[in-house]
Amino acid sequence: MGEGGCWSTMDLLRSEPMQLVQLIIPIESAYRTISYLGDLGLFQFKDLNAEKSPFQRTYASQIKRCGEMARRLRFFREQMKKAGLSSSSRFRSNDIDLDNLEVKLGELEAELLEINANNEKLRHSYNELSEYKLVLQKAGEFFHSAQSSAAAQQSELEVQQTGEGSIDSPLLLEQEMTTDPSKQVKLGFVSGLVPREKSMAFEMILFRATRGNVFLKQAVVEHPVIDPVSGEKVEKNVFVIFYSGERAKSKILKICEAFGANRYPFADDLGKQFQTISEVSGGLSELTVTIDAGLLHRNNLLQTIGYEYEQWNLQVKKEKSIYHTLNMLSFDVTKKCLVGEGWCPVFATKQIQNALQQATFDSNSQVGAIFQVLHTKESPPTYFCTNKFTSSFQEIVDAYGVAKYQEANPGVYTIITFPFLFAVMFGDWGHGICLLLATLYFIVREKKFSSQKLGDIIEMTFGGRYVILMMALFSIYTGLIYNEFFSVPFELFGLSAYGCRDPSCSDASTVGLIKVWDTYPFGVDPKWHGTRSELPFLNSLKMKMSILLGVAQMNLGIALSYFNAKFFGDDLNIWYQFVPQIIFLNSLFGYLSLLIIVKWCTGSQADLYHVMIYMFLSPTDDLGENQLFVGQKSLQLVLLLLALVAVPWMLFPKPFLLKKQHQERHRGQSYALLHSIDDPFETEPHHDSHDHEEFEFSEVFVHQMIHTIEFVLGAVSNTASYLRLWALSLAHSELSSVFYDKVLLLAWGYNNVIILIVGIIVFIFATVGVLLVMETLSAFLHALRLHWVEFQNKFYQGDGYKFEPFSFALLSEEDE
């Protein structure tokens, strides 16, 4: 057993032995005790105040303070993200006092809020002046063009009147000169900006409200303008509205307000216009300098916060978790101590006791904490000591269900069987090398990737890098067995054992071949990769191998159910579940596996389908040419009889024996009351016996019948399910062959460089996208199903719950 007690051979086969412990901690050393246990990370506290609300607990105010500090830290993180800054890696281990940290965070928040408020005001003013400048420019163009047009028209009129005089013209001129200037109508105007998307509706409402007694002039602003109110970029138009009368003005102002049009004053005097433009330009320059200075100060403040952010964030998390754990402890007022209960591994007893002693010493407490083991019938949590290699395999099992305490763990076997079954479906050593290279990239750079925030798919791939590593290695191995490199066979280990019978078959790959040399030393002979309809050797090999692997793994599952029953002392399940199951399975499919091996060894041409079918339909008939060995008929009769006996063996004895055990247990408890009535401590468990649930024989029998039917039908369906190993291996090989023959070789045959390059690119993308991504995912899911359904349902309950210790190491992995 290595450091921490986590490296014995039983670490993964059985969960670590656990114990329920009671801690009695003096109040003055409670904080340090919980802190040291958090550093150790091997104690799971039970909530002894589950009936209390969070606000009724002892340390609710401290948790509220930590929550407020966490809110401020989240605010700092958001501000740094907006500014494009990140927290620095300059991490210091010395902790700051919680009160001082709370004051410091409050001051920084207030300063940052003040800077943001001032910056918001300055930006608002800057955006208003920017809009005002646009209005001055565009409206100035309106007035300038209007004055130029009016002057041109006046000159033209004077010329016409001088050159084309009449009898009436002196009278008209006299009438114009005698008009009273006080009676002339003077037009007012309103200028500003309106969103372009509202400009049409704005114009229609104006004309309807004033009955057409206004003149509206608009000009498009080429670039989007930052709106002072919303702070967003908006496309706008500059407008000038000419009106007559105060009543019309009042309507125009209300319509502008309703449409979100920003109004700005404008003088019709040319000199005042130039003066206003110069003042606005100067104000914009001053605001630009002020805003830049404010942003620089803000960035410096955020950078200073970034240097300490990680330390503050982790410290606040620790403080909050400590007080949250303290709230799970029971407060004993009379003894001035806190009482806690929880689970811990047996191997961690000494480490926990040392942490308690150290906390007592550092707190200058006169009374030490008490560590007391409690005896309970409560089911302990499940804890497996894993490392970065085994943890991903354990996660595959835990995704199905967490093992019950001390239950046999499939994770041990999954390390080998899962990547192997994947490789049986994915077998190609060229594709396996590609997977291996991709996985080695993640493994070599795992320190860098583990400290980065990755995407969902990349993070999932990185987390299972060692699973993919094993899958790649096994794929290379099975690829060498299948003799496939991107579907191309090679004579790696020697020459093919087959040759031509005569010169006419020199180009043939299947027809006319005979065995002329020794058997190919390793894996499938290269000549077997011919036309499968003419020489189905490889197909037959993969199909029969799938059955052998399936029967072997199902036998392993049933054997593990025996080890579970033996470990827990359940003799009933050993004799009335394990024994008939192993007999039934091997009487049928174990015998089929034997026939496959005998046929391979003898080279017989017997039809195994015929043998298995007529083993049930006509068990007494002669086998004829399908006989593989002497005594086969007698053996089949014995196996068939055993299979038929195994079904009632599973169904009937167990319910009756359970009923008998219940009656004996109940009778024994009734007699025990007479002997223990004087002992007050013994009366409580016997009181519970009166409330014991009645034994329902019908329910037990129906449950056993369902279990028996499920196993009998499952033995057939599960064996057939393992044929997916053959089907997916065939599909992978055929797809790879299609891409090689119909893409790469076809492009090579054109003797054109461009077509060859395009063919190579298409081949690479098809290989990566279909064979290395989709086929990998497909084979992974099928291997997962074979483990969850066909393998684990033979022995694995998966109804336990995980050991979740109080640990500071887990805080950094939690999301905010």
Side-chain angles (χ1 to χ4, degrees):
M1 184 174 291
E3 183 180 357
C6 283
W7 299 105
S8 67
T9 55
M10 295 293 289
D11 289 335
L12 285 177
L13 185 59
R14 302 281 179 191
S15 60
E16 291 291 336
M18 307 294 289
Q19 58 188 1
L20 182 63
V21 173
Q22 184 182 64
L23 301 179
I24 302 176
I25 310 169
I27 293 179
E28 59 270 16
S29 64
Y31 179 88
R32 286 187 182 274
T33 299
I34 301 301
S35 178
Y36 290 172
L37 290 178
D39 290 328
L40 186 61
L42 289 172
F43 196 92
Q44 176 180 332
F45 286 91
K46 294 176 63 177
D47 190 359
L48 302 182
N49 300 313
E51 73 283 355
K52 294 183 180 180
S53 69
F55 304 102
Q56 294 175 328
R57 304 200 180 197
T58 308
Y59 297 95
S61 59
Q62 286 84 346
I63 291 181
K64 185 177 180 181
R65 287 174 61 194
C66 293
E68 181 63 18
M69 286 190 285
R71 182 196 62 78
R72 289 169 178 166
L73 288 169
R74 287 195 299 270
F75 170 69
F76 294 155
R77 187 180 63 182
E78 292 170 359
Q79 293 297 310
M80 287 189 292
K81 186 177 181 180
K82 288 180 180 179
L85 301 174
S86 59
S87 55
S88 174
S89 58
R90 277 199 270 172
F91 184 86
R92 297 181 298 181
S93 59
N94 55 320
D95 292 342
I96 306 175
D97 181 71
L98 186 63
D99 296 331
N100 295 335
L101 180 59
E102 184 179 19
V103 172
K104 188 169 185 177
L105 293 179
E107 292 174 351
L108 289 172
E109 183 189 27
E111 184 178 358
L112 193 55
L113 288 173
E114 184 180 359
I115 292 174
N116 289 341
N118 293 335
N119 183 62
E120 190 66 26
K121 291 179 182 177
L122 292 173
R123 285 197 173 277
H124 181 78
S125 301
Y126 181 86
N127 294 332
E128 282 187 338
L129 288 180
S130 298
E131 285 195 346
Y132 192 15
K133 187 175 181 180
L134 287 172
V135 171
L136 291 173
Q137 292 173 348
K138 296 292 182 180
E141 294 176 2
F142 293 160
F143 279 87
H144 179 70
S145 61
Q147 289 174 356
S148 301
S149 177
Q153 290 179 1
Q154 182 67 26
S155 300
E156 184 179 352
L157 182 62
E158 289 176 355
V159 170
Q160 290 178 355
Q161 289 177 350
T162 304
E164 299 178 1
S166 65
I167 299 175
D168 296 333
S169 53
L171 296 175
L172 292 173
L173 289 173
E174 184 179 357
Q175 183 179 1
E176 290 177 358
M177 294 175 64
T178 58
T179 303
D180 187 2
S182 63
K183 295 182 180 180
Q184 293 180 356
V185 177
K186 187 176 182 181
L187 298 178
F189 61 89
V190 175
S191 59
L193 290 97
V194 65
R196 190 173 302 166
E197 60 182 8
K198 300 180 181 179
S199 59
M200 294 297 294
F202 180 65
E203 183 174 354
M204 290 177 60
I205 296 296
L206 277 174
F207 274 85
R208 288 182 180 179
T210 61
R211 297 181 180 180
N213 292 320
V214 294
F215 177 73
L216 173 65
K217 187 72 174 178
Q218 294 192 65
V220 175
V221 179
E222 293 79 6
H223 304 289
V225 180
I226 298 178
D227 188 78
V229 178
S230 64
E232 298 178 353
K233 287 187 176 182
V234 182
E235 292 184 341
K236 293 189 175 185
N237 291 350
V238 173
F239 66 87
V240 178
I241 307 170
F242 295 92
Y243 63 90
S244 175
E246 291 298 322
R247 188 175 180 182
K249 180 182 179 180
S250 176
K251 292 181 179 180
I252 292 170
L253 295 180
K254 290 180 180 178
I255 293 172
C256 289
E257 184 177 354
F259 277 85
N262 300 327
R263 295 176 290 106
Y264 296 97
F266 184 81
D268 52 1
D269 182 74
L270 191 61
K272 290 183 178 180
Q273 290 179 19
F274 284 119
Q275 182 182 357
T276 306
I277 289 176
S278 63
E279 290 176 355
V280 170
S281 300
L284 287 172
S285 301
E286 292 176 0
L287 284 173
T288 301
V289 174
T290 307
I291 290 173
D292 290 342
L295 289 176
L296 180 62
H297 178 53
R298 180 173 175 270
N299 287 340
N300 290 335
L301 180 62
L302 289 174
Q303 197 168 13
T304 303
I305 293 173
Y307 292 148
E308 308 286 343
Y309 177 82
E310 293 296 338
Q311 180 190 4
W312 293 343
N313 189 40
L314 184 57
Q315 185 174 350
V316 169
K317 284 183 178 181
K318 282 185 176 182
E319 296 286 343
K320 188 175 182 179
S321 63
I322 289 172
Y323 287 116
H324 177 74
T325 304
L326 285 170
N327 274 338
M328 299 171 70
L329 275 60
S330 176
F331 182 67
D332 192 332
V333 181
T334 58
K335 299 180 181 178
K336 296 182 179 181
C337 64
L338 292 172
V339 179
E341 291 182 6
W343 298 97
C344 70
V346 174
F347 72 79
T349 301
K350 188 63 176 177
Q351 299 176 54
I352 293 174
Q353 290 176 341
N354 291 338
L356 298 179
Q357 294 174 3
Q358 187 65 37
T360 302
F361 177 78
D362 293 343
S363 303
N364 296 321
S365 176
Q366 301 298 322
V367 181
I370 299 175
F371 179 94
Q372 182 178 357
V373 179
L374 301 179
H375 298 284
T376 179
K377 293 183 179 179
E378 183 181 350
S379 178
T382 302
Y383 175 47
F384 295 106
C385 285
T386 59
N387 52 39
K388 62 183 180 180
F389 177 79
T390 58
S391 60
S392 52
F393 291 97
Q394 188 63 48
E395 287 297 325
I396 291 176
V397 176
D398 291 345
Y400 175 85
V402 179
K404 189 170 64 177
Y405 178 65
Q406 294 283 287
E407 182 182 11
N409 180 25
V412 180
Y413 309 95
T414 302
I415 296 174
I416 300 299
T417 59
F418 184 85
F420 179 70
L421 291 185
F422 168 88
V424 170
M425 296 178 276
F426 193 78
D428 188 300
W429 61 278
H431 298 153
I433 289 174
C434 294
L435 274 185
L436 179 63
L437 294 176
T439 310
L440 289 177
Y441 174 76
F442 283 110
I443 293 175
V444 170
R445 300 172 66 89
E446 66 180 10
K447 288 186 178 179
K448 180 181 179 181
F449 284 126
S450 59
S451 61
Q452 291 181 349
K453 183 68 176 178
L454 306 174
D456 292 338
I457 296 177
I458 300 298
E459 187 173 0
M460 188 184 304
T461 305
F462 176 72
R465 60 195 180 278
Y466 289 104
V467 176
I468 302 175
L469 173 67
M470 296 295 290
M471 287 159 45
L473 294 176
F474 275 98
S475 296
I476 294 173
Y477 171 74
T478 55
L480 292 172
I481 294 290
Y482 295 160
N483 200 349
E484 291 187 8
F485 179 82
F486 296 100
S487 79
V488 180
F490 286 90
E491 295 181 340
L492 292 178
F493 303 99
L495 297 175
S496 171
Y498 296 91
C500 290
R501 181 183 294 110
D502 53 62
S504 63
C505 71
S506 57
D507 296 330
S509 56
T510 57
V511 181
L513 296 178
I514 59 173
K515 188 174 182 180
V516 293
W517 291 287
D518 293 337
T519 303
Y520 192 70
F522 183 82
V524 173
D525 193 288
K527 293 294 184 180
W528 284 23
H529 290 268
T531 305
R532 287 177 171 81
S533 60
E534 298 174 355
L535 188 63
F537 294 153
L538 189 57
N539 241 0
S540 178
L541 170 69
K542 290 181 177 180
M543 182 181 67
K544 293 180 172 64
M545 186 177 64
S546 300
I547 296 175
L548 292 178
L549 293 174
V551 173
Q553 191 174 37
M554 288 191 291
N555 272 289
L556 175 61
I558 297 175
L560 288 175
S561 71
Y562 165 78
F563 289 120
N564 270 338
K566 191 72 174 176
F567 183 84
F568 292 111
D570 189 358
D571 294 334
L572 203 61
N573 274 334
I574 292 177
W575 289 105
Y576 301 102
Q577 180 171 314
F578 164 73
V579 174
Q581 284 181 356
I582 204 75
I583 290 175
F584 181 84
L585 180 67
N586 289 290
S587 294
L588 301 180
F589 302 105
Y591 174 63
L592 175 61
S593 302
L594 175 65
L595 293 181
I596 291 172
I597 295 173
V598 172
K599 182 177 179 180
W600 280 349
C601 296
T602 60
S604 171
Q605 298 298 319
D607 186 357
L608 299 187
Y609 298 106
H610 183 277
V611 173
M612 293 302 298
I613 291 173
Y614 283 92
M615 176 180 174
F616 292 92
L617 298 180
S618 301
T620 58
D621 291 353
D622 291 332
L623 296 174
E625 61 182 8
N626 291 321
Q627 182 168 335
L628 291 167
F629 54 88
V630 178
Q632 182 179 352
K633 179 181 175 182
S634 302
L635 178 61
Q636 287 185 179
L637 289 172
V638 172
L639 292 177
L640 184 61
L641 180 63
L642 287 175
L644 294 176
V645 170
V647 176
W649 191 353
M650 280 187 283
L651 176 61
F652 294 109
K654 187 175 178 181
F656 290 98
L657 291 173
L658 286 174
K659 182 178 180 180
K660 182 180 178 182
Q661 286 183 358
H662 175 79
Q663 292 173 348
E664 291 177 353
R665 189 184 307 115
H666 187 69
R667 189 182 303 116
Q669 289 176 352
S670 301
Y671 291 153
L673 283 172
L674 299 175
H675 301 285
S676 58
I677 194 168
D678 295 332
D679 191 348
F681 296 103
E682 294 292 333
T683 58
E684 185 177 355
H686 296 307
H687 175 73
D688 294 339
S689 67
H690 294 289
D691 298 331
H692 193 273
E693 186 179 353
E694 290 295 327
F695 181 81
E696 293 291 343
F697 177 79
S698 60
E699 291 184 6
V700 174
F701 187 82
V702 169
H703 179 269
Q704 187 64 24
M705 182 172 61
I706 293 173
H707 178 76
T708 302
I709 295 173
E710 182 183 9
F711 178 80
V712 172
L713 297 180
V716 179
S717 63
N718 291 350
T719 304
S721 182
Y722 276 95
L723 291 175
R724 71 184 66 237
L725 297 172
W726 160 54
L728 266 78
S729 175
L730 177 63
H732 183 85
S733 178
E734 290 294 336
L735 276 174
S736 182
S737 179
V738 166
F739 291 149
Y740 178 75
D741 293 337
K742 303 302 181 182
V743 177
L744 194 60
L745 291 185
L746 190 64
W748 183 271
Y750 279 97
N751 294 324
N752 187 297
V753 177
I754 297 177
I755 295 178
L756 179 60
I757 293 174
V758 172
I760 292 174
I761 293 174
V762 173
F763 176 76
I764 291 173
F765 276 95
T767 299
V768 173
V770 178
L771 297 176
L772 294 181
V773 177
M774 295 177 61
E775 281 287 305
T776 299
L777 181 60
S778 174
F780 181 91
L781 293 177
H782 282 282
L784 194 64
R785 182 243 155 78
L786 289 176
H787 278 77
W788 282 359
V789 179
E790 278 71 27
F791 174 52
Q792 291 180 190
N793 72 346
K794 302 293 185 299
F795 69 99
Y796 190 59
Q797 298 295 326
D799 55 354
Y801 64 101
K802 270 188 177 182
F803 175 62
E804 297 176 345
F806 171 61
S807 174
F808 293 148
L810 302 177
L811 295 178
S812 58
E813 300 175 5
E814 296 176 357
D815 293 331
E816 290 288 344

